[in-house]
Amino acid sequence: RYRIRENWSPAVSSRSGQGMSKSNPWSRIKEGRLFQVLLAYLAVSWILLQIVDMFIDNLGLPAWVFITTLVLLVIGLAVILTTAWVQASPLTARLERTDRVPGSWELAPSEIIDALSRGTVPFPTWPRALMGGVVAFSLLFGAAGLYVLLSARDTTPPDFLVSNDADPGIAVLPFEVSGDDLGEWREGMVSLLSTNLDGVGGLRAIDSRTVLARWDQMVAEDERADLRTALQVGRASGARHAVVGRAVAAGAGVRLSADVYDLTSGQVVGDAQVEGPGDDVFSLVDRLSIDVVRAVLPDLGSDAIRVDLARLTTSSLPALQAYLDGETEFRRGRFQEAIPHYERAVQEDSTFALALYRLTDAYGWTTALGSSQAVAAADRAARQADRLPEREALVFRATRALERGVLDELDPLQQASRRYPDDPEIWFQLGELYYHYGDQALVDTWQGDEYFARVLELDPGNAPALIHRIDLAFRFEPDSARIRALTNRYVELAPETNQGLEARLAFDLTFGDSATRAAALAALDTASVNLISLVIEPLLAPQSLAVAAQVLEVAGSPALPGWYNRLVRGQFAESWEFLPETPGWFVPLGYLTMQSRWERLLPGSPVPEQLALLADTLEVDRNRVEHLLFAGVRAIESDDRAGLASHLADLDSLRLRELSEADTVGARVAGGLGVGLQGYAAWQAGDLAGARELIAEAQRTVTGSSPTSRLTANLLFIWWLGQLELEAGRPEEALRYFSALYFHPTAALEAGQIYEKLGRIDEALEAYRHFVTAWVDADPEFQPLVEEVGQRIARLMDAPRTESQ
C-alpha cells in the first residue's frame, strides 16, 4: 500500500510545494539533511554509550549490555537514515497530502497495527523511528535489570551473616599475581592479611575459607575476575569493605598494592602500595595492613593501629610457607594431605601456634578427636594458645573443652557465632556440641543440623559438616530422598572414606528391600569394628533399633551397645544379661538406669531377681566415682546414714586427689557426683526444692562422653529431674528434661503423657508413636503398657480437634 514508485514526472511538486525540475540522490540527501541527521545520531549514540558504560561500572549491569547497545545503535542508524531518505522523497509529500500515508510527525498506531497484520513494514515516520528506539532500549535495560536482580539473589549473603553483634566486615580477595614464584601470594595474602586485620580498630576480617569458597563459586578456575565479580564475592561474603590487591615481581623483590572498596557504593575509599624483598613478607604485610586500616578507618589514631604478623603467626619464613601450603589443602577438605605441611611448619618453628591448632584439627578428622596424634597436637597447641589470634583462640578453647566433656564454653561459642557469623569453624563447633552434647546441655539436638547447614553455606566443600547432618537426618527426618542426596554429596566431596561407606550401608539397612539389607549385613560380616560402630551411630531412630540389633549380632553383640539396644527396645530380660559383661566401671550405672526405669514403668513391682542379685553381689571399688554413686544411692534407699557419709567422704577424697594431679575435669566429676547424691537424699526426705537445686547442679557439672560413665550419670540426673518436676506439679518444666532424653522411649512416653494433659495432641501422638515403635518387641511384662499406649493413639486420632491442636 505504501510502496513508493520512483517514476514520477519531473513536474511533481516537492514537499515545499515548489516544482522540482529533477530528482537525484544528492538532492534527496540535501533535502533530507542526512549529514546533519547522521552527525546528531552519532553524537547521541556516543552519549548513550558513555551512560551505559557508567551503569555497567556502578550498577553492576552485565558486560553484554554494552555489546547489545552497539548492535541496537547500528540497527537504529539504518532506521533513522531510511526514515530521513523516505521523508525527503517528493512522492512522500504528495501521498501525505492525499492521506495515503501518515504525516512525517504522525505516529498513527492504527496504521502500524494494520501494516503488521498484513505482514508489511509500517511506513517510516520520525515518531515511529523514535518509538522503536525507546521500545528496544526499554527491553534491553529491563532485561539487564532482571539479570542484575537474579544475579544478586545468588550473591546476597545468608541472613545469619548479618548480625547486629558483628563488627564491620572486610573481605580480603585473592590477589592478582604477576611474576615467577608468586603463586602462593594469590591465596596466601587472603590468609595473612585477614589474620593481621582481624580485630584492628574494630574491624572483622571475613574468614578466609568463606571468601575463597565464594570465589570458587563465582569465578571460574584459572580465570581472572573482573572488578564487578570480585566485588560481588565480597558482598556475598557479608563484608562491608573489600580489598582488591595485586602482587607484582619488581626486580629481586615484590610490589604489593591494594584498593579498598566500599561495597555499598562500589567506590574506592583508599589504596595502598608497598615494595620490598620477597623474603620480608612479614614487614610487607604489616605495612600494607596499616594502610588498609587507614583507608577504612581514617579517623583512627596511629597508636590504635597495631599489627604484627610475625607475632600472630611465626617469624620463620619456611614455617609460614609450609603453613600456607597446608591451608590450601585443608580448605579443600584434603586433611590427610594437609598434615605433612603443618608438621613441616611445626618442625621449622615449634612455637607456631596456628600450625599446631590446624594440625590438631586435621588429625581430628583423619584419625579421631581423641586419637594419640590428635591429643599430642592439641597438648602442644595448648602450650602456645596465648599466641593464637583472638578468634582462633576462642575456637580452640571451645574445642578443648568439648574434648574433655566440659560444656562451659557453650555460651562463649554462641556469642562468638554472633560476633563472627562468617566463620565456618565456629558454626561447625556449635553443631558438634549440639550433636554430641545436646541432651546434656538441655538444648535441641536437631538444632545442630542448622549449624552444619550454615557451615556448608559458607564453605560448600566442607565434607565433615555433612557427616553428622546425615546422622541427624537418620534420627530426626528419615526421608530416603534427603538422606540419599546428603550421602551422595558427601561421597562426591570425600570419596572412599569410612564415613561414606557407613552412610551407604546405613541407608541400605534402613530403606532397602530384604535382599539389599541382607547384602549390607553380609558386607558388615567382614568389616572392621570401627566401621560397624559408625554404622550403628545413625540407627537410633525407633524404626531403626531392630536393624541396629541385627548389626550388633553380626559384630558379635559387644556388651555395652548390646545392653543399650535391648534397654531402649524394652527387652530388660536380655539387657541385664549383657550388663555383667560390660566394662566394670559401667555395671553400677547400668543398674541405676534400669532400676529407675523399672520402678517408674511398673510402680510397686519389685526389681527383678536377676537385677537385684547383680546389685547385691557387686563389689564396690572405692577408687571409682561411679561405684561410689551407686553405693550412695543404695545407702540412701536403705536409710544407711553412716554409709552415705562414708561414700560422700570417699568422693571428696577422690576430688582432692584429682586436683593434686591437675585433673580438673576428674575433680569436677567427683565433686558433682557427691552433690548429686546429696540431692537424691533430699528427694527421698521429701525436700523437692532442695533436691531439684542440688541435682540440677550435679547435672551441669558431670558432663562428657569420655569416659561414658560421665554421660550415663548425667542422663540419670536428667531422668531424676524430670520425675522431680512431675512430683512438684510442674509438667512443662518436666518436659524440658524428658525432651532431652527423647531417644530413650521411656522418656518419650513420659513426654507423651504430659503433652496429652496439656492438650498438645499432635506432639502427644508423635511421642506415643515413638514409644510404641521402639517397644513393639518389648518383654511380656511391658506388653500391656504397649497395648495401652496404642489404644491412646487410636483414641487421640479419632478425637475431634480444635484449631489450637
Side-chain angles (χ1 to χ4, degrees), residues 286-303:
D286 286 347
R287 288 158 52 196
L288 192 68
S289 301
I290 291 171
D291 287 345
V292 168
V293 173
R294 284 174 176 162
V296 179
L297 304 170
D299 298 329
L300 190 66
S302 298
D303 293 342

Side-chain angles (χ1 to χ4, degrees), residues 507-579:
F507 183 91
D508 289 345
L509 290 166
T510 303
F511 301 107
D513 56 25
S514 57
T516 302
R517 292 183 182 182
L521 288 171
L524 286 171
D525 192 32
T526 56
S528 66
V529 174
N530 182 42
L531 178 59
I532 291 175
S533 66
L534 287 174
V535 173
I536 291 291
E537 181 80 6
L539 301 179
L540 293 178
Q543 63 272 24
S544 302
L545 292 173
V547 175
Q550 291 180 288
V551 175
L552 290 171
E553 289 295 332
V554 170
S557 292
L560 192 54
W563 171 84
Y564 177 80
N565 181 267
R566 270 63 174 190
L567 177 68
V568 295
R569 295 169 64 204
Q571 298 174 353
F572 279 47
E574 290 187 48
S575 188
W576 60 60
E577 291 176 7
F578 277 98
L579 197 53

Side-chain angles (χ1 to χ4, degrees), residues 168-388:
I170 183 167
V172 180
L173 305 177
F175 271 44
E176 180 185 336
V177 296
S178 177
D180 296 334
D181 301 324
L182 291 181
E184 65 185 12
W185 292 81
R186 182 180 179 275
E187 292 187 4
M189 284 300 295
V190 180
S191 179
L192 297 180
L193 198 54
S194 296
T195 299
N196 228 16
L197 291 174
D198 195 44
V200 179
L203 285 180
R204 170 177 58 94
I206 302 298
D207 188 271
S208 58
R209 285 163 294 185
T210 297
V211 172
L212 291 170
R214 288 289 186 273
W215 187 272
D216 289 343
Q217 285 178 314
M218 300 170 65
V219 180
E221 188 175 0
D222 298 328
E223 282 193 11
R224 175 182 173 183
D226 57 40
L227 178 61
R228 183 181 63 85
T229 303
L231 297 185
Q232 283 183 336
V233 171
R235 294 186 186 100
S237 302
R240 185 179 301 177
H241 293 90
V243 178
V244 179
R246 294 158 296 282
V248 180
V254 63
R255 180 186 303 115
L256 301 178
S257 59
D259 292 320
V260 183
Y261 285 84
D262 182 325
L263 292 175
T264 302
S265 65
Q267 299 298 312
V268 175
V269 297
D271 55 35
Q273 180 171 306
V274 297
E275 186 173 339
D279 58 1
D280 194 17
V281 59
F282 306 103
S283 174
L284 289 173
V285 174
D286 286 347
R287 288 158 52 196
L288 192 68
S289 301
I290 291 171
D291 287 345
V292 168
V293 173
R294 284 174 176 162
V296 179
L297 304 170
D299 298 329
L300 190 66
S302 298
D303 293 342
I305 306 177
R306 297 180 181 178
V307 295
D308 186 354
L309 182 62
R311 178 183 64 82
L312 293 174
T313 55
T314 175
S315 58
S316 166
L317 184 58
L320 180 61
Q321 290 171 331
Y323 168 76
L324 291 177
D325 290 339
E327 286 289 89
T328 299
E329 299 291 352
F330 190 93
R331 288 191 191 102
R332 287 156 176 75
R334 295 163 54 87
F335 306 114
Q336 190 68 55
E337 290 79 1
I339 288 174
H341 298 297
Y342 292 139
E343 289 281 16
R344 193 170 78 252
V346 173
Q347 289 172 3
E348 295 287 344
D349 181 357
S350 61
T351 66
F352 194 171
L354 269 176
L356 287 165
Y357 163 65
R358 282 283 191 247
L359 186 60
T360 303
D361 227 4
Y363 270 129
W365 286 116
T366 55
T367 54
L369 200 57
S371 70
S372 58
Q373 299 102 314
V375 169
D379 289 342
R380 293 162 70 189
R383 291 192 289 271
Q384 307 297 332
D386 59 341
R387 300 186 68 235
L388 283 170

Side-chain angles (χ1 to χ4, degrees), residues 373-430:
Q373 299 102 314
V375 169
D379 289 342
R380 293 162 70 189
R383 291 192 289 271
Q384 307 297 332
D386 59 341
R387 300 186 68 235
L388 283 170
E390 179 184 1
R391 191 187 311 195
E392 283 75 9
L394 185 152
V395 178
F396 179 73
R397 287 194 301 270
T399 305
R400 289 284 282 174
L402 293 178
E403 284 175 22
R404 303 164 72 198
V406 178
L407 304 184
D408 300 347
E409 292 297 324
L410 173 58
D411 286 341
L413 203 55
Q414 289 174 325
Q415 293 171 15
S417 71
R418 295 187 290 270
R419 186 178 176 188
Y420 304 111
D422 57 278
D423 193 323
E425 187 65 22
I426 290 175
W427 292 116
F428 183 85
Q429 291 302 332
L430 266 177

Side-chain angles (χ1 to χ4, degrees), residues 651 654-660 663-673 701:
L651 281 170
L654 289 178
R655 180 183 67 83
L656 294 173
R657 188 179 73 188
E658 300 287 10
L659 280 177
S660 69
D663 185 354
T664 56
V665 174
R668 282 172 58 118
V669 172
L673 292 178
T701 304

